[in-house]
Amino acid sequence: GVGAYGAAMFLLVTLAFFKALLFLGAGAVIHAISGEQDIRKMGGIWAKIPFTHAVMVVGSLALGGVPYFAGYYSKDMILESAWAAGTNAGHMAYYLGVLAAFMTAF
């Protein structure tokens, strides 16, 4: 709504990669425990598949918008563009975007 088409495409691509990474990681976890999907039986799985654990942590941090990850820069570009619009709608979009980014990280 603020004309940041390049930033929007960057955000779309980064979110697609992070979410794909997390879904593939979830599939790897289910595969590693022989198809069991009861979360109560998944304790300590990080010791069995440390690479998957590390990659899922990185994907979660990036999706949450932690600085120095691509998710931070893509969300920041959107928020900066909304604020720079200088309109009431732009400022409202900024505040709602900050709230949405916080809820995503939460």
Side-chain angles (χ1 to χ4, degrees):
V2 293
Y5 302 114
M9 289 306 296
F10 180 44
L11 180 65
L12 179 71
V13 170
T14 56
L15 287 175
F17 277 101
F18 303 149
K19 289 185 180 190
L21 173 92
L22 292 173
F23 276 111
L24 288 170
V29 168
I30 291 170
H31 182 69
I33 57 174
S34 302
E36 181 63 53
Q37 294 188 20
D38 186 358
I39 198 160
R40 294 171 292 186
K41 298 179 182 177
M42 292 185 187
I45 192 71
W46 66 270
K48 294 181 182 178
I49 48 175
F51 181 75
T52 302
H53 174 263
V55 170
M56 288 186 72
V57 167
V58 169
S60 298
L61 292 173
L63 187 62
V66 174
Y68 304 112
F69 289 96
Y72 170 77
Y73 295 108
S74 62
K75 290 178 184 180
D76 186 55
M77 287 174 65
I78 294 289
L79 294 174
E80 181 181 350
S81 299
W83 186 262
T87 62
N88 287 336
H91 290 283
M92 181 60 72
Y94 173 80
Y95 291 121
L96 290 175
V98 168
L99 179 65
F102 174 76
M103 294 304 291
T104 300
F106 179 71

